Amino acid sequence: ERVNKAMEELDYHPNSLARGLRSGKTKTIGLVIPDISNQFFAEISRKIEDKGFEHGYSVILCNTDDNPQKEKTYIDVLIAKKVEGIIFISTVVESNNLQKTLEFNIPIIVVDRDIKDINSDIVLVDNNVGGYEATRYLIQLGHRRIACIEGPSPITPSSQRVGGYRKALQEARIPVDEDLIIAGDFRYESGNKAMRYLLNLSQPPTAVFACNDMMALGAIQAVNDHGLRIPDDISVIGFDNIPFSQTVYPTLTTMAQPIYEMAGLAVDLLIDRIKLQRQRNRGEVQKPGFKRIILETKLVKRNSCREIGKN
Ligand code: RIB
């Protein structure tokens, strides 16, 4: 009681940073994401922050803007701030930046974007099956001239989704027209630009698979600006199931990613790794093998696709 009274009189607040340095328990985790303006990352960040807070952890959010140099800087910042672990969504495939965290024995959980040869637990979705199911759905609706707006090809989610697109066409014996695969960068403007190009072809597609919802939203805008209608003139399907996909007109058919499940798993895995690291620091148990968890996407049918060829 005397101590508490003195603290009150002195208006003393324990320095959590100093306490953390001494105990190695800063109760802080880092979260590195590529683009906070994309609701996919905003949603996953919110869930990670919620769940981290439930477990008594503060979360330091680092937005890398798809910039590998900024990503490297942020990793140095997180090491300097002695975070106890990092949940990491990379900007590129090879993330040598991450090796440094392992030298400092900071556990990391890789989410959403696979990274080669990294010693960490990984939480992904099956992007190839997601792209396949999106395209197969359009084929089942009668579409044959189906375009694909791809994301940044070097990163795994986009290249795998495009692989699923190709597989569905080949399975239906529909020749893949390379002129209908248009590069995008997962951002709205690139979807808008890609759709404008497709609509100006001498033979425009009757359906478009956009490898994420932000590009699908940009594509919808381009169709409207062109004086055409969705799905009457062209069908569009996206990937992610961000909140905007339910509020855009017409509502967007999309492949839903289990965003909250991915976030929850990442936090659970990281907290387990943090506990293990503490045990290892005390010379206890050996680190068990790393987990590689691949979740499923789910087709969410809304109003942006229609059946053709029946009338
Ligand atoms: O919308 C952003 C995209 O980048 C998502 O599809 C997600 O998988 C991330 O990789």
Side-chain angles (χ1 to χ4, degrees), residues 38 40-41 112-113 155 157 161 186 211-212 239-240 257:
N38 182 324
F40 173 85
F41 299 114
D112 175 59
R113 295 175 174 186
I155 62 156
R161 291 167 199 172
F186 274 157
C211 286
N212 84 331
F239 200 111
D240 286 348
Q257 294 211 56

Side-chain angles (χ1 to χ4, degrees), residues 45-298:
S45 301
R46 192 166 66 84
K47 181 66 183 172
I48 287 168
E49 196 280 328
D50 281 350
K51 187 142 192 186
F53 185 78
E54 279 171 25
H55 288 272
Y57 285 88
S58 302
V59 176
I60 298 176
L61 174 66
C62 304
N63 180 47
T64 60
D65 263 342
D66 286 315
N67 176 331
Q69 187 48 47
K70 197 172 175 188
E71 180 182 274
K72 182 180 180 309
T73 303
Y74 266 136
I75 286 174
D76 291 341
V77 165
L78 294 173
I79 292 171
K81 288 190 179 295
K82 293 205 168 296
V83 295
E84 293 191 56
I86 298 173
I87 295 173
F88 189 79
I89 305 184
S90 75
T91 57
V92 289
V93 178
E94 314 288 341
S95 210
N96 305 327
N97 298 336
L98 272 186
Q99 293 306 340
K100 200 168 179 183
T101 60
L102 302 177
E103 289 160 24
F104 285 84
N105 291 322
I106 299 175
I108 53 173
I109 307 294
V110 169
V111 175
D112 175 59
R113 295 175 174 186
D114 202 358
I115 295 176
K116 290 182 202 155
D117 313 324
I118 194 81
N119 284 339
S120 86
D121 299 314
I122 295 188
V123 180
L124 306 171
V125 299
D126 191 329
N127 290 291
N128 188 281
V129 167
Y132 169 82
E133 290 183 351
T135 310
R136 189 180 61 179
Y137 174 62
L138 295 173
I139 293 168
Q140 288 167 347
L141 290 177
H143 296 278
R144 291 295 174 271
R145 195 154 167 70
I146 302 170
C148 177
I149 303 175
E150 58 180 352
S153 45
I155 62 156
T156 49
S158 181
S159 53
Q160 290 171 351
R161 291 167 199 172
V162 178
Y165 159 83
R166 291 176 182 276
K167 183 181 167 195
L169 291 177
Q170 283 154 7
E171 194 179 79
R173 290 181 175 53
I174 298 170
V176 175
D177 180 347
E178 298 299 334
D179 292 339
L180 292 182
I181 300 176
I182 315 296
D185 61 7
F186 274 157
R187 292 173 190 261
Y188 180 96
E189 298 75 15
S190 67
N192 188 281
K193 185 179 173 197
M195 182 60 97
R196 279 188 274 120
Y197 169 81
L198 290 166
L199 292 172
N200 286 320
L201 290 174
S202 55
Q203 284 186 303
T206 62
V208 176
F209 164 44
C211 286
N212 84 331
D213 285 352
M214 288 305 286
M215 294 193 298
L217 297 178
I220 288 172
Q221 184 60 51
V223 171
N224 294 334
D225 293 347
H226 206 80
L228 297 176
R229 298 176 59 194
I230 289 178
D232 311 60
D233 299 306
I234 190 161
S235 292
V236 176
I237 186 169
F239 200 111
D240 286 348
N241 194 30
I242 60 175
F244 281 153
S245 64
Q246 304 175 64
T247 57
V248 66
Y249 181 83
T251 53
L252 180 64
T253 296
T254 187
M255 294 307 296
Q257 294 211 56
I259 296 173
Y260 283 1
E261 188 181 355
M262 293 168 83
L265 270 172
V267 174
D268 289 341
L269 288 166
L270 186 61
I271 288 173
D272 288 348
R273 287 288 166 195
I274 288 171
K275 286 176 187 157
L276 269 175
Q277 185 59 49
R278 288 179 186 162
Q279 290 168 353
R280 287 183 68 230
N281 291 345
R282 294 195 296 266
E284 295 173 24
V285 296
Q286 284 310 313
K287 194 163 22 175
F290 293 111
K291 296 185 180 71
R292 185 177 174 81
I293 299 170
I294 299 185
L295 302 172
E296 298 300 318
T297 55
K298 180 170 169 285

